[in-house]
Amino acid sequence: MKALSYLLLLFFMIASCSGNSSSQNLTWYNNSTITNIIEDPDKPEDFARVSIGISAQVFYISKKSTDYKTIMKKANQSFKKSKSFNIGIENKTNIIRQINEVK
């Protein structure tokens, strides 16, 4: 039984370390719709506050990001037209880094 536990532990360690580094350490919300976009009340010059889905989880779009216009365009499409996207959230920051078309 101990040997099986060690094998499982080894498997999980290998699986967790074999991630794709080009994903920028993102958590993906697939087939999601943005339900609200407002200026962040704490830092309106830096961020837009975005709510995703029925549970209204709050994330941010950085206005200083090089992809700000592209991300905001897709976010507005999702919000105004209820269009679903795959949304990539940077881990530990809650900042939206990618919004991709659903395939």
XYZ file of all heavy atoms in Angstrom:
822
model
N 0.821 -1.192 0.000
C 0.000 0.000 0.000
C 0.867 1.259 0.000
O 0.546 2.222 -0.660
C -0.924 -0.041 1.229
C -1.900 1.092 1.272
S -3.065 0.913 -0.082
C -4.074 2.306 0.202
N 1.987 1.211 0.761
C 2.888 2.353 0.805
C 3.510 2.622 -0.560
O 3.656 3.767 -0.975
C 3.992 2.106 1.825
C 3.998 3.055 2.948
C 5.159 2.775 3.873
C 5.094 3.775 4.999
N 6.174 3.622 5.925
N 3.872 1.553 -1.253
C 4.475 1.704 -2.572
C 3.492 2.359 -3.541
O 3.876 3.218 -4.342
C 4.925 0.349 -3.104
N 2.231 1.991 -3.475
C 1.207 2.581 -4.332
C 1.050 4.072 -4.022
O 0.930 4.893 -4.937
C -0.128 1.849 -4.141
C -1.300 2.361 -4.987
C -0.986 2.252 -6.469
C -2.554 1.601 -4.644
N 1.094 4.422 -2.751
C 0.987 5.829 -2.356
C 2.157 6.633 -2.916
O 1.973 7.744 -3.423
C 0.958 5.968 -0.834
O -0.179 5.340 -0.314
N 3.363 6.084 -2.833
C 4.523 6.779 -3.368
C 4.447 6.914 -4.884
O 4.817 7.949 -5.437
C 5.821 6.063 -2.969
C 6.185 6.277 -1.529
C 6.311 5.201 -0.662
C 6.406 7.551 -1.026
C 6.645 5.388 0.670
C 6.748 7.753 0.303
C 6.856 6.671 1.140
O 7.189 6.875 2.445
N 3.966 5.886 -5.554
C 3.812 5.963 -7.007
C 2.793 7.026 -7.400
O 3.007 7.787 -8.348
C 3.410 4.602 -7.582
C 4.520 3.565 -7.655
C 3.958 2.222 -8.117
C 5.612 4.028 -8.598
N 1.689 7.091 -6.679
C 0.677 8.111 -6.958
C 1.233 9.513 -6.703
O 1.002 10.434 -7.487
C -0.581 7.878 -6.117
C -1.475 6.733 -6.573
C -2.591 6.500 -5.563
C -2.050 7.027 -7.949
N 1.960 9.672 -5.618
C 2.574 10.956 -5.305
C 3.553 11.359 -6.403
O 3.550 12.510 -6.862
C 3.278 10.895 -3.949
C 3.984 12.174 -3.503
C 2.978 13.300 -3.324
C 4.749 11.929 -2.225
N 4.372 10.441 -6.850
C 5.322 10.701 -7.920
C 4.599 11.089 -9.205
O 4.984 12.041 -9.890
C 6.209 9.471 -8.157
C 7.246 9.606 -9.265
C 8.269 10.671 -8.892
C 7.921 8.276 -9.516
N 3.524 10.393 -9.530
C 2.741 10.703 -10.723
C 2.181 12.127 -10.658
O 2.264 12.887 -11.615
C 1.597 9.682 -10.896
C 0.642 10.053 -11.976
C 0.984 9.879 -13.308
C -0.601 10.590 -11.671
C 0.102 10.235 -14.315
C -1.481 10.946 -12.665
C -1.134 10.770 -13.996
N 1.603 12.502 -9.512
C 1.033 13.839 -9.368
C 2.100 14.924 -9.448
O 1.886 15.981 -10.018
C 0.242 13.971 -8.065
C -1.078 13.254 -8.092
C -1.365 12.282 -7.160
C -2.032 13.538 -9.062
C -2.571 11.608 -7.182
C -3.242 12.872 -9.094
C -3.521 11.900 -8.155
N 3.258 14.654 -8.900
C 4.352 15.627 -8.966
C 4.806 15.830 -10.403
O 5.026 16.950 -10.837
C 5.511 15.180 -8.082
C 5.206 15.290 -6.594
S 6.525 14.662 -5.545
C 7.876 15.714 -5.989
N 4.941 14.747 -11.143
C 5.361 14.848 -12.545
C 4.290 15.548 -13.365
O 4.591 16.422 -14.178
C 5.682 13.448 -13.115
C 6.948 12.907 -12.461
C 5.831 13.500 -14.628
C 7.239 11.454 -12.790
N 3.033 15.206 -13.147
C 1.940 15.818 -13.898
C 1.829 17.308 -13.604
O 1.579 18.114 -14.501
C 0.619 15.114 -13.581
N 2.040 17.714 -12.380
C 1.910 19.127 -12.031
C 3.084 19.954 -12.547
O 2.941 21.142 -12.796
C 1.760 19.304 -10.524
O 2.944 18.938 -9.875
N 4.228 19.353 -12.740
C 5.400 20.078 -13.211
C 5.513 20.099 -14.728
O 6.358 20.788 -15.271
C 6.672 19.460 -12.641
S 6.800 19.653 -10.870
N 4.678 19.373 -15.420
C 4.819 19.271 -16.872
C 3.885 20.213 -17.610
O 3.524 19.974 -18.743
C 4.555 17.833 -17.319
O 3.214 17.487 -17.025
N 3.511 21.325 -16.983
C 2.609 22.286 -17.618
C 3.298 23.045 -18.732
O 4.518 23.088 -18.846
N 2.511 23.706 -19.558
C 3.011 24.496 -20.670
C 3.354 25.889 -20.168
O 2.491 26.627 -19.727
C 1.936 24.553 -21.765
C 2.438 25.219 -23.004
O 3.540 25.766 -23.032
N 1.622 25.193 -24.048
N 4.610 26.299 -20.259
C 5.033 27.591 -19.742
C 4.491 28.745 -20.575
O 4.436 29.873 -20.119
C 6.550 27.670 -19.675
O 7.100 27.563 -20.965
N 4.093 28.506 -21.813
C 3.564 29.573 -22.657
C 2.148 29.973 -22.261
O 1.632 30.959 -22.747
C 3.590 29.147 -24.125
O 2.670 28.098 -24.336
N 1.520 29.223 -21.357
C 0.169 29.562 -20.935
C 0.162 30.694 -19.920
O -0.886 31.116 -19.478
C -0.539 28.333 -20.355
O 0.059 27.989 -19.121
N 1.318 31.210 -19.532
C 1.467 32.327 -18.606
C 0.853 32.048 -17.245
O 0.419 32.964 -16.563
C 0.845 33.595 -19.187
C 1.487 34.113 -20.410
C 0.802 35.379 -20.890
O -0.024 35.941 -20.199
N 1.138 35.817 -22.063
N 0.777 30.794 -16.863
C 0.220 30.460 -15.562
C -1.220 30.962 -15.444
O -1.562 31.713 -14.539
C 1.110 31.037 -14.460
C 0.939 30.331 -13.153
O 0.455 29.208 -13.102
N 1.324 30.984 -12.075
N -2.042 30.580 -16.400
C -3.433 31.039 -16.464
C -4.408 29.969 -16.009
O -4.181 28.786 -16.210
C -3.798 31.435 -17.900
C -2.976 32.532 -18.545
C -3.432 32.748 -19.990
C -3.062 33.818 -17.771
N -5.502 30.422 -15.420
C -6.651 29.573 -15.153
C -7.699 29.949 -16.193
O -7.986 31.135 -16.382
C -7.207 29.822 -13.735
O -6.198 29.484 -12.788
C -8.448 28.988 -13.482
N -8.251 28.951 -16.858
C -9.187 29.213 -17.957
C -10.637 29.030 -17.526
O -10.977 28.056 -16.877
C -8.884 28.295 -19.141
C -7.632 28.709 -19.836
C -6.377 28.240 -19.601
C -7.508 29.724 -20.822
N -5.485 28.902 -20.399
C -6.145 29.799 -21.165
C -8.415 30.564 -21.458
C -5.670 30.701 -22.121
C -7.947 31.455 -22.406
C -6.584 31.521 -22.734
N -11.449 29.984 -17.893
C -12.899 29.911 -17.735
C -13.454 29.727 -19.141
O -13.556 30.696 -19.904
C -13.439 31.184 -17.076
C -13.061 31.282 -15.624
C -11.779 31.663 -15.237
C -13.972 30.948 -14.641
C -11.424 31.723 -13.905
C -13.623 31.001 -13.295
C -12.350 31.392 -12.941
O -11.996 31.452 -11.622
N -13.737 28.482 -19.492
C -14.156 28.155 -20.851
C -15.646 28.400 -21.047
O -16.451 28.158 -20.159
C -13.809 26.698 -21.181
C -12.313 26.491 -21.234
O -11.578 27.340 -21.713
N -11.860 25.373 -20.721
N -15.955 28.886 -22.252
C -17.338 29.091 -22.653
C -18.074 29.995 -21.651
O -19.182 29.700 -21.231
C -18.036 27.733 -22.779
C -19.039 27.724 -23.902
O -19.117 28.659 -24.686
N -19.809 26.670 -23.972
N -17.429 31.096 -21.274
C -17.968 32.001 -20.260
C -18.411 33.319 -20.871
O -17.894 33.754 -21.895
C -16.912 32.290 -19.199
O -16.564 31.112 -18.531
N -19.351 33.963 -20.194
C -19.890 35.242 -20.641
C -19.642 36.295 -19.565
O -19.860 36.047 -18.382
C -21.400 35.128 -20.910
O -21.620 34.084 -21.851
C -21.959 36.418 -21.472
N -19.233 37.471 -19.999
C -19.016 38.583 -19.083
C -20.355 39.242 -18.798
O -21.109 39.565 -19.713
C -17.997 39.573 -19.667
C -16.628 38.886 -19.704
C -17.957 40.870 -18.879
C -15.537 39.667 -20.376
N -20.660 39.426 -17.516
C -21.964 39.961 -17.122
C -21.916 41.425 -16.704
O -22.965 42.049 -16.564
C -22.560 39.131 -15.967
O -21.630 39.102 -14.883
C -22.865 37.714 -16.426
N -20.712 41.994 -16.506
C -20.625 43.401 -16.129
C -19.204 43.905 -16.328
O -18.242 43.171 -16.103
C -21.045 43.596 -14.666
C -21.358 45.042 -14.344
O -21.511 45.869 -15.227
N -21.457 45.349 -13.064
N -19.084 45.164 -16.753
C -17.787 45.842 -16.874
C -17.965 47.243 -16.295
O -18.838 47.985 -16.733
C -17.320 45.962 -18.343
C -17.194 44.587 -18.993
C -16.001 46.724 -18.419
C -16.902 44.649 -20.487
N -17.134 47.581 -15.300
C -17.154 48.931 -14.731
C -15.723 49.372 -14.439
O -14.802 48.553 -14.429
C -17.983 48.999 -13.416
C -17.399 48.072 -12.341
C -19.445 48.694 -13.662
C -17.996 48.268 -10.967
N -15.542 50.661 -14.207
C -14.245 51.159 -13.761
C -14.003 50.652 -12.346
O -14.927 50.597 -11.534
C -14.226 52.689 -13.760
C -14.370 53.314 -15.135
C -13.169 53.061 -16.025
O -12.030 53.114 -15.522
O -13.380 52.802 -17.210
N -12.772 50.297 -12.043
C -12.453 49.867 -10.685
C -12.521 51.078 -9.757
O -11.839 52.073 -9.997
C -11.056 49.243 -10.643
C -10.700 48.723 -9.279
O -11.538 48.041 -8.669
O -9.590 49.025 -8.811
N -13.357 51.035 -8.728
C -13.494 52.204 -7.859
C -12.222 52.556 -7.083
O -12.010 53.716 -6.741
C -14.621 51.820 -6.895
C -14.821 50.373 -7.047
C -14.230 49.947 -8.344
N -11.358 51.575 -6.836
C -10.128 51.834 -6.092
C -9.015 52.403 -6.970
O -8.248 53.254 -6.528
C -9.635 50.557 -5.416
C -10.642 50.018 -4.413
O -11.350 50.838 -3.788
O -10.727 48.781 -4.272
N -8.906 51.907 -8.198
C -7.853 52.353 -9.119
C -8.428 52.511 -10.528
O -8.095 51.741 -11.434
C -6.702 51.354 -9.134
C -5.966 51.247 -7.821
C -4.788 50.315 -7.952
C -4.028 50.237 -6.647
N -2.863 49.375 -6.755
N -9.267 53.515 -10.772
C -9.917 53.651 -12.081
C -8.941 53.933 -13.228
O -9.242 53.620 -14.380
C -10.894 54.810 -11.885
C -10.374 55.554 -10.708
C -9.666 54.551 -9.849
N -7.778 54.495 -12.923
C -6.805 54.787 -13.973
C -6.017 53.546 -14.388
O -5.397 53.523 -15.443
C -5.850 55.900 -13.548
C -4.957 55.567 -12.369
C -5.626 55.667 -11.002
O -6.764 56.153 -10.888
O -5.001 55.220 -10.031
N -6.065 52.494 -13.565
C -5.285 51.290 -13.832
C -6.101 50.091 -14.297
O -5.607 49.271 -15.062
C -4.501 50.868 -12.580
C -3.419 51.862 -12.203
O -2.911 52.570 -13.091
O -3.086 51.927 -11.004
N -7.354 49.961 -13.809
C -8.097 48.731 -14.048
C -9.561 48.974 -14.389
O -10.158 49.947 -13.953
C -8.063 47.830 -12.794
C -6.705 47.353 -12.416
C -6.024 47.932 -11.359
C -6.097 46.328 -13.115
C -4.760 47.500 -10.995
C -4.831 45.885 -12.760
C -4.158 46.470 -11.699
N -10.093 48.036 -15.165
C -11.535 47.895 -15.348
C -11.936 46.638 -14.589
O -11.234 45.628 -14.629
C -11.889 47.759 -16.821
N -13.039 46.682 -13.873
C -13.525 45.531 -13.099
C -14.527 44.772 -13.956
O -15.436 45.362 -14.521
C -14.174 46.008 -11.807
C -14.521 44.885 -10.872
C -15.153 45.393 -9.614
N -14.144 45.981 -8.740
C -14.393 46.403 -7.512
N -15.600 46.350 -7.028
N -13.428 46.911 -6.786
N -14.352 43.454 -14.027
C -15.153 42.596 -14.898
C -15.762 41.468 -14.073
O -15.068 40.844 -13.283
C -14.266 41.998 -16.023
C -15.048 41.045 -16.889
C -13.655 43.103 -16.861
N -17.054 41.219 -14.274
C -17.724 40.092 -13.623
C -17.988 39.024 -14.674
O -18.431 39.325 -15.780
C -19.046 40.525 -13.001
O -18.827 41.518 -12.039
N -17.741 37.772 -14.295
C -17.926 36.655 -15.222
C -18.967 35.706 -14.658
O -18.860 35.263 -13.520
C -16.600 35.895 -15.453
C -15.575 36.818 -16.101
C -16.835 34.664 -16.320
C -14.211 36.185 -16.270
N -19.965 35.392 -15.467
C -20.931 34.352 -15.133
C -21.960 34.728 -14.100
O -21.988 35.832 -13.569
N -22.823 33.768 -13.831
C -23.922 33.953 -12.902
C -23.429 34.203 -11.488
O -23.999 34.982 -10.743
C -24.856 32.721 -12.948
C -25.758 32.818 -14.138
C -25.627 32.542 -11.685
C -26.703 31.669 -14.302
N -22.347 33.545 -11.088
C -21.849 33.706 -9.729
C -21.123 35.036 -9.541
O -20.702 35.356 -8.441
C -20.921 32.548 -9.359
O -19.794 32.556 -10.195
N -20.997 35.806 -10.612
C -20.406 37.149 -10.598
C -19.031 37.180 -9.945
O -18.757 37.967 -9.060
C -21.349 38.136 -9.935
N -18.160 36.315 -10.401
C -16.778 36.356 -9.944
C -16.127 37.606 -10.522
O -16.334 37.937 -11.687
C -16.039 35.111 -10.395
C -16.571 33.861 -9.727
C -15.932 32.615 -10.283
O -15.824 32.463 -11.495
N -15.487 31.737 -9.404
N -15.341 38.317 -9.730
C -14.767 39.588 -10.152
C -13.308 39.417 -10.553
O -12.513 38.830 -9.827
C -14.891 40.641 -9.030
C -14.215 41.938 -9.422
C -16.347 40.882 -8.694
N -12.995 39.952 -11.746
C -11.642 39.940 -12.277
C -11.337 41.337 -12.808
O -12.196 42.212 -12.793
C -11.512 38.887 -13.388
C -11.842 37.507 -12.891
C -13.077 36.951 -13.120
C -10.909 36.781 -12.181
C -13.391 35.685 -12.651
C -11.207 35.505 -11.701
C -12.445 34.972 -11.940
N -10.122 41.526 -13.294
C -9.704 42.853 -13.724
C -9.050 42.805 -15.099
O -8.446 41.817 -15.482
C -8.713 43.447 -12.716
C -9.306 43.561 -11.340
C -9.181 42.530 -10.414
C -10.023 44.682 -10.980
C -9.755 42.620 -9.157
C -10.604 44.784 -9.720
C -10.464 43.749 -8.818
O -11.046 43.846 -7.588
N -9.166 43.925 -15.822
C -8.429 44.126 -17.064
C -7.496 45.301 -16.802
O -7.945 46.385 -16.431
C -9.364 44.439 -18.249
C -10.302 43.263 -18.513
C -8.544 44.773 -19.491
C -11.365 43.538 -19.565
N -6.206 45.076 -16.995
C -5.219 46.122 -16.765
C -5.212 47.089 -17.936
O -5.028 46.695 -19.091
C -3.828 45.516 -16.595
O -2.859 46.543 -16.526
N -5.406 48.360 -17.648
C -5.391 49.388 -18.685
C -3.972 49.652 -19.186
O -3.792 50.285 -20.218
C -6.010 50.675 -18.154
C -7.499 50.541 -17.893
C -8.101 51.839 -17.421
C -9.597 51.693 -17.234
N -10.219 52.949 -16.801
N -2.982 49.160 -18.471
C -1.584 49.356 -18.858
C -1.031 48.187 -19.667
O 0.107 48.213 -20.105
C -0.735 49.595 -17.614
C -1.130 50.889 -16.913
C -0.310 51.151 -15.688
C -0.759 52.469 -15.062
N -0.006 52.799 -13.871
N -1.855 47.165 -19.894
C -1.443 45.999 -20.675
C -1.315 46.369 -22.148
O -2.076 47.197 -22.664
C -2.483 44.888 -20.504
O -2.245 43.849 -21.420
N -0.375 45.746 -22.826
C -0.209 46.000 -24.260
C -1.389 45.477 -25.067
O -1.650 45.966 -26.163
C 1.097 45.359 -24.784
O 1.076 43.963 -24.474
C 2.313 45.999 -24.148
N -2.118 44.498 -24.522
C -3.275 43.912 -25.205
C -4.597 44.509 -24.721
O -5.656 43.948 -24.972
C -3.319 42.398 -24.969
C -2.127 41.680 -25.569
O -1.574 42.190 -26.556
O -1.753 40.624 -25.042
N -4.554 45.636 -24.039
C -5.760 46.202 -23.428
C -6.895 46.401 -24.431
O -8.026 45.992 -24.179
C -5.434 47.529 -22.730
C -6.664 48.254 -22.239
C -7.365 47.789 -21.133
C -7.140 49.392 -22.889
C -8.497 48.436 -20.677
C -8.270 50.044 -22.442
C -8.942 49.566 -21.339
O -10.069 50.208 -20.898
N -6.605 47.016 -25.573
C -7.669 47.300 -26.549
C -8.300 46.026 -27.089
O -9.515 45.933 -27.224
C -7.135 48.159 -27.693
C -6.858 49.581 -27.273
C -6.413 50.428 -28.441
C -6.155 51.847 -27.967
N -5.751 52.722 -29.056
N -7.490 45.028 -27.380
C -8.000 43.759 -27.897
C -8.851 43.040 -26.855
O -9.943 42.560 -27.157
C -6.823 42.851 -28.317
O -6.010 43.547 -29.247
C -7.314 41.558 -28.925
N -8.344 42.983 -25.638
C -9.080 42.306 -24.567
C -10.378 43.041 -24.277
O -11.443 42.425 -24.128
C -8.203 42.181 -23.301
C -7.060 41.188 -23.557
C -9.025 41.754 -22.100
C -6.026 41.133 -22.456
N -10.339 44.377 -24.228
C -11.533 45.154 -23.928
C -12.575 45.028 -25.045
O -13.779 44.965 -24.762
C -11.155 46.615 -23.705
C -12.202 47.380 -22.999
S -12.560 46.647 -21.390
C -13.223 48.014 -20.564
N -12.125 44.945 -26.285
C -13.055 44.777 -27.408
C -13.824 43.464 -27.260
O -15.053 43.421 -27.404
C -12.284 44.806 -28.734
C -13.156 44.632 -29.949
C -12.330 44.643 -31.229
C -13.209 44.345 -32.414
N -12.425 44.222 -33.648
N -13.114 42.381 -26.978
C -13.768 41.086 -26.812
C -14.637 41.060 -25.552
O -15.711 40.464 -25.549
C -12.722 39.968 -26.769
C -12.068 39.751 -28.122
C -11.024 38.669 -28.061
C -10.360 38.468 -29.402
N -9.315 37.443 -29.340
N -14.171 41.714 -24.485
C -14.966 41.777 -23.258
C -16.286 42.507 -23.510
O -17.341 42.083 -23.035
C -14.173 42.472 -22.154
N -16.245 43.583 -24.275
C -17.466 44.314 -24.605
C -18.408 43.497 -25.485
O -19.625 43.565 -25.322
C -17.134 45.653 -25.261
C -16.790 46.716 -24.247
O -17.462 46.857 -23.236
N -15.727 47.450 -24.499
N -17.852 42.716 -26.413
C -18.684 41.822 -27.227
C -19.396 40.819 -26.338
O -20.578 40.547 -26.520
C -17.835 41.044 -28.242
C -17.402 41.809 -29.434
C -16.559 40.938 -30.364
O -16.185 39.808 -30.030
N -16.255 41.466 -31.529
N -18.681 40.270 -25.387
C -19.268 39.293 -24.482
C -20.344 39.942 -23.621
O -21.425 39.379 -23.444
C -18.184 38.686 -23.588
O -18.729 37.725 -22.730
N -20.073 41.134 -23.116
C -21.013 41.824 -22.228
C -22.258 42.305 -22.983
O -23.385 42.051 -22.569
C -20.309 43.001 -21.557
C -21.200 43.846 -20.691
C -21.967 43.282 -19.690
C -21.269 45.212 -20.876
C -22.780 44.069 -18.882
C -22.070 45.999 -20.080
C -22.828 45.428 -19.082
N -22.067 42.980 -24.103
C -23.194 43.593 -24.816
C -23.993 42.612 -25.660
O -25.189 42.776 -25.845
C -22.692 44.738 -25.690
C -22.160 45.902 -24.879
C -21.612 46.999 -25.743
C -21.074 48.133 -24.873
N -20.439 49.171 -25.687
N -23.325 41.573 -26.184
C -23.999 40.631 -27.080
C -24.136 39.234 -26.478
O -24.530 38.301 -27.169
C -23.236 40.537 -28.401
C -23.189 41.860 -29.149
C -22.428 41.744 -30.440
C -22.365 43.094 -31.130
N -21.598 43.020 -32.379
N -23.766 39.082 -25.217
C -23.808 37.784 -24.514
C -23.051 36.697 -25.271
O -23.460 35.541 -25.299
C -25.249 37.350 -24.270
O -25.895 38.250 -23.412
N -21.941 37.079 -25.879
C -21.105 36.133 -26.622
C -20.158 35.427 -25.657
O -19.542 36.058 -24.804
C -20.307 36.873 -27.692
C -19.521 35.961 -28.586
C -18.884 36.700 -29.732
C -18.109 35.715 -30.584
N -17.447 36.377 -31.701
N -20.052 34.120 -25.782
C -19.179 33.323 -24.915
C -17.754 33.290 -25.452
O -17.530 33.212 -26.658
C -19.710 31.896 -24.797
O -20.943 31.907 -24.135
N -16.799 33.340 -24.547
C -15.378 33.258 -24.868
C -14.690 32.345 -23.865
O -15.229 32.063 -22.793
C -14.721 34.647 -24.771
C -15.053 35.580 -25.899
C -16.082 36.492 -25.765
C -14.338 35.561 -27.076
C -16.391 37.366 -26.789
C -14.633 36.423 -28.108
C -15.667 37.335 -27.966
N -13.477 31.923 -24.203
C -12.591 31.260 -23.256
C -11.722 32.367 -22.661
O -11.023 33.068 -23.387
C -11.729 30.203 -23.943
C -12.555 29.062 -24.474
O -13.613 28.747 -23.937
N -12.096 28.435 -25.539
N -11.788 32.538 -21.350
C -11.140 33.669 -20.689
C -10.012 33.147 -19.809
O -10.238 32.333 -18.915
C -12.166 34.462 -19.861
C -13.302 34.941 -20.774
C -11.500 35.630 -19.153
C -14.484 35.548 -20.051
N -8.798 33.642 -20.063
C -7.616 33.237 -19.306
C -7.289 34.245 -18.223
O -7.004 35.407 -18.518
N -7.333 33.804 -16.968
C -7.072 34.653 -15.808
C -5.703 34.299 -15.244
O -5.420 33.133 -14.966
C -8.135 34.432 -14.701
C -9.560 34.495 -15.252
C -7.911 35.385 -13.539
C -9.975 35.827 -15.792
N -4.857 35.309 -15.053
C -3.541 35.074 -14.465
C -3.698 34.662 -13.004
O -4.388 35.328 -12.231
C -2.691 36.332 -14.567
C -1.278 36.145 -14.085
C -0.447 37.396 -14.275
O -0.940 38.492 -13.971
O 0.692 37.253 -14.739
N -3.050 33.564 -12.642
C -3.121 33.060 -11.267
C -2.536 34.073 -10.285
O -1.563 34.746 -10.580
C -2.375 31.736 -11.140
C -3.030 30.634 -11.940
O -4.223 30.679 -12.221
N -2.249 29.651 -12.323
N -3.150 34.180 -9.142
C -2.743 35.014 -8.013
C -2.921 36.515 -8.238
O -2.627 37.292 -7.350
C -1.296 34.725 -7.598
C -1.078 33.293 -7.163
C 0.342 33.069 -6.721
C 0.529 31.602 -6.362
N 1.900 31.287 -6.050
N -3.383 36.957 -9.420
C -3.592 38.389 -9.641
C -5.031 38.725 -10.020
O -5.433 39.865 -9.906
C -2.685 38.930 -10.758
O -3.051 38.323 -12.004
C -1.221 38.706 -10.454
N -5.781 37.728 -10.515
C -7.152 37.919 -11.007
C -7.231 38.910 -12.168
O -8.233 39.577 -12.358
C -8.100 38.343 -9.884
C -8.467 37.192 -8.993
O -8.195 36.036 -9.306
N -9.087 37.486 -7.881
N -6.153 39.002 -12.951
C -6.134 39.872 -14.126
C -6.364 39.027 -15.369
O -5.725 37.999 -15.562
C -4.800 40.635 -14.229
C -4.657 41.580 -13.032
C -4.711 41.415 -15.536
C -3.342 42.312 -12.958
N -7.292 39.476 -16.216
C -7.573 38.787 -17.480
C -6.418 39.058 -18.428
O -6.104 40.209 -18.734
C -8.907 39.274 -18.077
C -10.063 38.919 -17.135
C -9.120 38.677 -19.467
C -11.403 39.515 -17.548
N -5.771 37.990 -18.886
C -4.628 38.118 -19.796
C -4.968 37.724 -21.226
O -4.314 38.179 -22.163
C -3.457 37.272 -19.305
C -2.883 37.732 -17.998
C -2.239 39.075 -18.133
N -1.691 39.514 -16.850
C -1.231 40.712 -16.627
N -1.261 41.608 -17.580
N -0.766 41.039 -15.460
N -5.973 36.856 -21.407
C -6.366 36.429 -22.764
C -7.859 36.208 -22.816
O -8.459 35.722 -21.844
C -5.678 35.111 -23.143
C -4.201 35.202 -23.349
C -3.628 33.868 -23.781
O -4.294 33.036 -24.385
N -2.365 33.653 -23.460
N -8.437 36.563 -23.947
C -9.824 36.194 -24.242
C -9.798 35.622 -25.648
O -9.448 36.316 -26.607
C -10.789 37.406 -24.152
C -10.782 37.988 -22.747
C -12.185 36.982 -24.568
C -11.724 39.178 -22.554
N -10.165 34.350 -25.761
C -10.125 33.642 -27.045
C -11.520 33.213 -27.485
O -12.375 32.945 -26.641
C -9.225 32.403 -26.940
C -7.803 32.752 -26.563
O -7.306 33.835 -26.861
N -7.129 31.843 -25.894
N -11.687 33.118 -28.783
C -12.940 32.628 -29.347
C -13.177 31.189 -28.917
O -12.243 30.406 -28.792
C -12.887 32.672 -30.883
C -12.668 34.035 -31.475
C -13.925 34.897 -31.480
O -15.031 34.331 -31.502
O -13.779 36.115 -31.461
N -14.427 30.829 -28.703
C -14.798 29.452 -28.406
C -14.815 28.699 -29.715
O -15.423 29.136 -30.692
C -16.175 29.376 -27.707
C -16.599 27.941 -27.511
C -16.137 30.108 -26.390
N -14.151 27.550 -29.757
C -14.095 26.759 -30.999
C -15.008 25.577 -30.910
O -15.348 25.068 -29.929
C -12.666 26.294 -31.272
C -11.760 27.461 -31.542
C -10.358 26.982 -31.784
C -9.455 28.190 -32.014
N -8.095 27.861 -32.222
